[in-house]
Amino acid sequence: MGPHPMLYSSLDLGPLQVVNRFAVPAMVTRLSSDDGYVNEDVIERYRRFSEGGAGLIVVEASSVHGGRSGPLLKASSDEFIPGLSELAAAIHEAGAAKAVVQIIHFLKVARSGWRQLVSDLDVDGLEALPALFAAAARRVEQAGFDGVEIHMAHAYTLSSMLSRRNKRRDHYGRTLENRLRLPSAVVDAVKAAVGPEFAVGVRFDAEECIRRGYSVAEASQFASRFAEQGVAYISLSAGGKFEDAIHREGKPLYPYTGFSGDRCMPGDSYPDAANIWMAETVRRNIRDRGFTTPILGAGKIPTADLAESLLQRGACDLIGMARGLLADPFLPVKVAAGRTDEVVECIYCNVCKSLDENFKTVVCYLWPKGATHAPRPDEPRAETGWFESESSLRAIAGVGDIRLRWEAAEGDVAGYDILRSEDDQPFERFTSCSRTAQLDDSVLADRTYRYMVVPYDGSGRRGTPTPPAEAAVETGQI
Ligand SMILES: Cc1cc2nc3c(=O)[nH]c(=O)nc-3n(C[C@H](O)[C@H](O)[C@H](O)COP(=O)(O)O)c2cc1C
């Protein structure tokens, strides 16, 4: 057993067994065109996740209906089955990953900022949804996938039904049981439509992160209902709502532009594992009620070490690493091979998020320029080392903060890890960035901070660290 025994241990998700706890949560790639078919680039994206060693791959949100959506995969009619079959086969051939497809229903949005609400739908429209989801799930099963994940998170139809802001006046709104009625009916319909070996998971927000939205107490009620219905796993996300989205002139509302959007894809200013407390609370609540359904937690979990410690403390059962595995899909195999210092660590710059927002192909800022896919670990790469090997890092105390500056390293540098030590404690990763300067505004006065900076290239290979640089902010400087 290596240093990450739980992370690399298998787990049953209902009928499925995954070989490890790494999960790629659904991530829209914008690699398909508006027609919604799988193409070679889509296949290549997922093939690399599988080669890279993730145990579970959730293929991006794929629509159960024919609505216009820009570039998004579809599972809305039988014509999509051949493409989905090729995708399932490619994932299974490339590695041991189990693959499920996230299936989604969404309402209409317009460039004016208008959007359709769940309260605009008539009862017949709502009651047509379980059959739409069930038919899509059956197609995914026919295509050879291992399961589906019903998308009930963020800004989409089923999430808006669960929302505390669902003000429908009939038996589909306001009370918790009414809000659960349609999502529960979808779970039942999907489970009835597929065979017992096919996994049915759900994803919903553990907290909406909007005013008058629900939080972990209600999410725990939802989770225990879905557990009772026999879902294979529960994936917990956060936020991503229309209610606080910022409308940009001439563009449809994008639900990740407000505070709830920040919470959904926490950027570089958020702490690591920013949302894990939510998954941990829901997990504890349903365990207390006797349910053993595995829980997937996500939100800025960048490293195997952190992932292992979250599993060890029982915060979740599966580690959702979306942007981390986009930056480097090979993280699981690299860490397993003891090549952790070759991992291209996500800097949470959210360039991927803004590409998604603008319907552009989602790529990672850290990949080599112009690349559509992450480089494989064995692809040739340039040497990475320091331009000036001595004293190239300076740490300057300011008014309550410490400014770091360093000379650019030579070679094909993708980013820099910044390591920090407080008062002679061991160095720990503080953050990663792509510039040659960083402000540390999270220091306490009258303590000594030491820093080192380590460059890495597009394949994640680390160069020589700088010699340490030291600074302290005195009380008088605050
Ligand atoms: C480019 C991009 C596309 C995403 N698309 C989806 C999606 O289709 N369905 C979904 O449930 N979440 C989607 N997410 C959210 C992620 O699954 C994940 O919950 C979020 O990024 C936080 O995890 P991370 O910090 O590991 O990236 C997307 C995130 C990004 C960055």
Side-chain angles (χ1 to χ4, degrees):
M1 290 223 287
H4 305 101
M6 274 196 86
L7 188 53
Y8 288 92
S9 66
S10 64
L11 177 71
D12 289 336
L13 308 179
L16 295 188
Q17 191 176 70
V18 289
V19 294
N20 62 42
R21 311 302 181 91
F22 285 102
V24 183
M27 246 183 307
V28 162
T29 60
R30 305 286 183 205
L31 284 166
S32 65
S33 51
D34 289 11
D35 59 23
Y37 290 107
V38 167
N39 58 29
E40 255 318 302
D41 272 327
V42 172
I43 290 176
E44 195 51 43
R45 174 71 51 99
Y46 289 98
R47 183 181 281 137
R48 290 184 190 220
F49 285 133
S50 183
E51 275 174 33
L56 179 70
I57 296 174
V58 184
V59 170
E60 64 199 88
S62 304
S63 70
V64 301
H65 61 308
R68 283 187 46 186
S69 57
L72 195 77
L73 291 183
K74 289 192 167 76
S76 52
S77 87
D78 289 354
E79 69 196 277
F80 298 107
I81 297 175
L84 290 169
S85 305
E86 275 185 58
L87 179 56
I91 294 174
H92 288 144
E93 271 161 30
K98 293 292 193 279
V100 306
V101 177
Q102 187 180 59
I103 49 176
I104 183 174
H105 185 276
F106 47 84
L107 298 177
K108 294 178 187 149
V109 289
R111 290 180 185 277
S112 61
W114 171 86
R115 68 185 171 96
Q116 194 180 21
L117 303 173
V118 286
S119 47
D120 298 334
L121 294 181
D122 59 23
V123 169
D124 287 348
L126 281 186
E127 292 182 348
L129 291 191
L132 278 179
F133 275 96
R138 220 171 11 238
R139 289 182 197 108
V140 171
E141 184 182 33
Q142 277 176 36
F145 279 94
D146 303 299
V148 283
E149 176 178 289
I150 303 169
H151 197 350
M152 304 182 177
H154 312 158
Y156 311 109
T157 315
L158 295 180
S159 178
S160 303
M161 295 302 293
L162 290 177
S163 175
R164 250 190 113 71
R165 301 277 283 264
N166 165 2
K167 298 292 181 208
R168 285 185 68 95
R169 301 186 152 273
D170 59 6
H171 55 299
Y172 285 109
R174 289 176 300 130
T175 67
L176 185 100
E177 196 50 79
N178 282 350
R179 284 154 42 207
L180 254 171
R181 192 178 310 278
L182 185 71
S184 284
V186 169
V187 171
D188 282 342
V190 168
K191 281 186 70 71
V194 298
E197 300 306 311
F198 187 75
V200 177
V202 291
R203 185 173 219 207
F204 57 94
D205 281 350
E207 177 171 286
E208 293 188 90
C209 305
I210 50 173
R211 293 181 73 196
R212 302 188 303 281
Y214 72 73
S215 185
V216 290
E218 291 199 354
S220 302
Q221 303 279 60
F222 301 154
S224 57
R225 168 61 50 80
F226 297 135
E228 222 162 51
Q229 290 182 273
V231 297
Y233 69 92
I234 293 172
S235 169
L236 294 172
S237 188
K241 308 297 289 184
F242 278 128
E243 280 77 1
D244 67 346
I246 296 160
H247 182 227
R248 306 201 212 276
E249 202 53 44
K251 283 191 176 178
L253 264 184
Y254 180 69
Y256 307 97
T257 40
F259 173 72
S260 72
D262 285 355
R263 297 300 317 200
C264 183
M265 302 167 196
D268 53 9
S269 65
Y270 281 84
D272 287 350
N275 295 333
I276 201 67
W277 68 272
M278 300 178 194
E280 192 163 11
T281 310
V282 171
R283 184 176 183 275
R284 191 173 56 242
N285 285 340
I286 68 162
R287 293 286 178 274
D288 287 350
R289 292 180 206 176
F291 296 111
T292 54
T293 315
I295 299 285
L296 183 152
K300 216 177 166 193
I301 305 174
T303 63
D305 286 352
L306 178 58
E308 176 70 22
S309 73
L310 296 174
L311 293 168
Q312 294 279 355
R313 81 167 199 230
C316 57
D317 306 286
L318 280 162
I319 299 291
M321 234 187 227
R323 291 165 295 173
L325 291 175
L326 180 71
D328 192 347
F330 299 94
L331 182 151
V333 290
K334 285 180 179 173
V335 173
R339 293 165 63 183
T340 306
D341 60 356
E342 293 181 26
V343 171
V344 182
E345 224 162 72
C346 178
I347 58 171
Y348 299 98
C349 63
N350 270 338
V351 166
C352 52
K353 172 182 169 184
S354 70
L355 291 167
D356 172 41
E357 174 175 4
N358 292 297
F359 296 139
K360 296 205 172 115
T361 302
V362 171
V363 293
C364 175
Y365 177 75
L366 300 176
W367 296 349
K369 282 206 173 33
T372 310
H373 300 292
R376 291 197 160 86
D378 47 7
E379 282 178 21
R381 56 216 169 182
E383 286 286 309
T384 304
W386 285 102
F387 193 62
E388 277 185 20
S389 60
E390 294 216 354
S391 309
S392 56
L393 173 65
R394 281 180 301 149
I396 303 146
V399 182
D401 54 27
I402 295 173
R403 241 165 237 288
L404 302 175
R405 286 186 190 285
W406 57 93
E407 302 291 325
E410 66 184 6
D412 173 25
V413 178
Y416 298 93
D417 285 330
I418 298 174
L419 313 180
R420 183 177 94 163
S421 137
E422 183 181 281
D423 277 350
D424 293 327
Q425 294 296 308
F427 278 97
E428 284 181 3
R429 175 180 168 273
F430 170 59
T431 187
S432 303
C433 70
S434 58
R435 302 171 303 266
T436 54
Q438 176 72 33
L439 184 70
D440 181 359
D441 58 2
S442 59
V443 293
L444 283 170
D446 302 324
R447 298 194 185 183
T448 301
Y449 291 87
R450 288 183 304 142
Y451 301 87
M452 288 197 290
V453 175
V454 188
Y456 52 93
D457 67 14
S459 305
R461 203 179 43 150
R462 268 38 184 191
T464 335
T466 60
E470 182 177 302
V473 173
E474 285 157 23
T475 309
Q477 284 175 293
I478 290 183

